[in-house]
């Protein structure tokens, strides 16, 4: 697996990925975007000059298999979201991508915390976040996904916890 900055030519692959209904979570994967909508989001990010999204590629064939991104940046915290092609889940790709992306965020952004949410019915995402050192907080919220509201748990990873885990 490799992470790389999102590019305009990724719009079609991201549209196919989301159109196939193979995604869960927040962000692009949970919305009903057109290919033009996705291209507009990519253009806005490229124009900003700040990397917020990274695509996840499989090394064996350079296939785009997922995306990970910063959704919000406040004071000393970022909120991240991710999704992966359904048939490739639980194979270690997302764990590797999430650890690499967290290392990138902590080394390049002036933040001390990364938060992520998972739906209470998504045990795989909960296990993924735990395996990367995230811990549950007392914060729950409602997330819009599949045009419905779902209860979600917020998890947090601090820069110090990430360092202690031996990642950076």
């Amino acid at each position: 697996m490799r992470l790389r900055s999102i590019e305009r030519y990724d719009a079609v692959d991201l549209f196919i990925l989301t159109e196939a209904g193979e995604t869960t979570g927040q962000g692009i994967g949970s919305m009903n975007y057109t290919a033009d909508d996705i291209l507009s989001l990519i253009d806005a990010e490229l124009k900003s000059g700040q990397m917020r999204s990274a695509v996840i590629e499989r090394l064996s064939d350079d296939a785009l298999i997922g995306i990970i991104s910063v959704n919000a940046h406040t004071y000393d915290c970022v909120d991240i979201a991710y999704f992966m092609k359904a048939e490739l889940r639980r194979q270690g790709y997302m764990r590797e991508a999430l650890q690499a992306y967290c290392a990138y965020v902590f080394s390049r952004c002036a933040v001390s915390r990364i938060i992520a949410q998972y739906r209470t019915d998504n045990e795989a995402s909960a296990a993924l976040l735990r395996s990367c050192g995230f811990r549950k907080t007392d914060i729950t919220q409602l997330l819009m996904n599949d045009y419905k509201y779902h209860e979600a748990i917020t998890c947090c990873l601090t820069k110090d916890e990430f360092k202690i885990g031996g990642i950076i």
Side-chain angles (χ1 to χ4, degrees), residues 70-150:
V70 171
N71 282 340
H73 185 169
T74 59
Y75 181 55
D76 72 338
C77 180
V78 293
D79 177 18
I80 63 170
Y82 50 84
F83 66 84
M84 171 141 312
K85 214 169 183 179
E87 72 266 14
L88 297 174
R89 293 182 192 145
R90 295 188 171 108
Q91 295 183 28
Y93 291 115
M94 187 51 77
R95 185 175 193 276
E96 185 180 348
L98 184 57
Q99 287 177 326
Y101 193 75
C102 288
Y104 171 84
V105 168
F106 282 134
S107 67
R108 302 260 172 103
C109 302
V111 298
S112 63
R113 294 178 300 136
I114 298 173
I115 60 170
Q117 294 84 28
Y118 66 90
R119 287 177 26 180
T120 54
D121 62 350
N122 188 345
E123 183 51 42
S125 196
L128 167 70
L129 291 168
R130 279 192 306 270
S131 75
C132 290
F134 283 78
R135 58 181 163 69
K136 283 178 25 175
T137 68
D138 292 334
I139 301 169
T140 59
Q141 61 184 1
L142 292 177
L143 293 178
M144 174 65 84
N145 186 248
D146 304 325
Y147 300 102
K148 299 175 202 161
Y149 284 104
H150 301 272

Side-chain angles (χ1 to χ4, degrees), residues 24-72:
T24 59
Q26 295 177 256
I28 279 179
S30 63
M31 305 304 280
N32 198 11
Y33 286 123
T34 67
D36 285 338
D37 293 334
I38 293 172
L39 187 57
S40 293
L41 290 170
I42 292 170
D43 284 342
E45 181 169 325
L46 293 173
K47 186 177 180 181
S48 77
Q50 297 179 339
M51 182 187 134
R52 294 184 55 184
S53 302
V55 295
I56 306 164
E57 289 182 327
R58 187 174 43 212
L59 287 175
S60 62
D61 59 3
D62 295 330
L64 189 148
I65 60 172
I67 188 169
I68 189 166
S69 65
V70 171
N71 282 340

